[in-house]
Amino acid sequence: MKLVCLNAWGGHELDPLLEFIKTHAPYTDLFCFQEVFNNSAGKVSDGEFRLNLLDELKQALPSFEPYYIPGQVGFAIDRSPVPYDLSFGSAIFAQTSLKPEFSHVVLLENNDSSDHPYHETKHLLNVKPALSGKPLTISTLHGLWVPNIGKTDTEERLIQSRRIREFLDAQPGEKILCGDLNLNPGTESLRMLEQGYRNLIADFDIQTTRSALYKRSDRFADYTLVTPGVQVRSFEVPDVPISDHLPMILEFDLAT
């Protein structure tokens, strides 16, 4: 099976993003996306981001079933309020032949307090493909981002990781966790998720998960973690300018 995971940056680089997706679609079973806009007001763009990116992804992936969960509603990417229906969240697109079971887990509730550092509900999105006799849970996350704090440990990030583990540890079979976790290497929040899993970013000596379009100094945000029974055939993070993040591409089998 082949899995592609990418923070889509709200479709900021739409044309190369869609070209990349269409090129990989014939050979890919699942796409996991973060930072996907959706709206019912007919808005296409705010001049920088694609406000109907979910629909554009659906058009690019006609043989895939989309599963979308909004994290914040009524705000632009910079968390400023907008006067129309607009949501911003994560999505999994699965080949229809997989007939997956879909679920989502609320990790952190939205907090509307004006002095609170975030205004977004954090979800863990999960699919369980219909594979005969081989239970597999694939989960994706856009991890908590706190302005002016960076990707270090916080109490809420530790809670987020603990709740992820509580869910995954209760699932049978093998697991894959991927996404923009918004964590630095070496944090306790990441170590909690790594216990019993392979961190493919570390194992494959990936030097950065951020593209040249990202101008800050921190070079890691995205991770793919797998349990031992996931047999990795290949893993790569190609340097392509389709977002301010780089895509993670995993090809794998399950141990018999």
Side-chain angles (χ1 to χ4, degrees), residues 33-125:
F33 296 113
Q34 302 86 50
E35 294 196 9
V36 176
F37 280 113
N38 185 41
N39 79 93
S40 60
K43 302 285 186 180
V44 174
S45 173
D46 65 358
E48 186 174 7
F49 298 100
R50 303 298 296 184
L51 304 185
N52 66 334
L53 182 58
L54 182 62
D55 286 339
E56 290 170 313
L57 293 173
K58 289 177 181 178
Q59 292 171 17
L61 295 168
S63 65
F64 287 71
E65 186 70 25
Y67 305 90
Y68 172 76
I69 297 294
Q72 68 181 31
V73 178
F75 293 90
I77 201 167
D78 64 357
R79 296 174 179 171
S80 60
V82 295
Y84 52 87
D85 168 57
L86 180 67
S87 68
F88 183 65
S90 297
I92 295 177
F93 282 70
Q95 281 280 5
T96 54
S97 59
L98 291 177
K99 300 177 180 178
E101 173 189 336
F102 173 75
S103 67
H104 65 96
V105 178
V106 174
L107 303 172
L108 295 170
E109 294 279 5
N110 177 32
N111 190 310
D112 289 324
S113 171
S114 60
D115 61 355
H116 204 272
Y118 73 97
H119 301 279
E120 185 175 1
T121 299
K122 287 302 174 185
H123 300 93
L124 186 70
L125 276 62

Side-chain angles (χ1 to χ4, degrees), residues 206-219:
I206 302 301
Q207 297 300 301
T208 183
T209 65
R210 306 306 299 250
S211 76
L213 300 172
Y214 183 74
K215 302 305 181 184
R216 298 186 182 127
S217 59
D218 54 298
R219 305 313 299 169

Side-chain angles (χ1 to χ4, degrees), residues 193-205:
L193 299 175
E194 290 173 323
Q195 293 176 11
Y197 286 65
R198 291 181 63 192
N199 178 346
L200 300 185
I201 295 297
D203 283 5
F204 282 78
D205 195 27

Side-chain angles (χ1 to χ4, degrees), residues 2-3 16 32 65 99 121 136 149-150 174 179-180 188:
K2 181 177 175 180
L3 166 68
C32 297
E65 186 70 25
K99 300 177 180 178
T121 299
L136 171 66
I149 292 180
E174 304 302 329
D180 173 7
E188 178 61 26

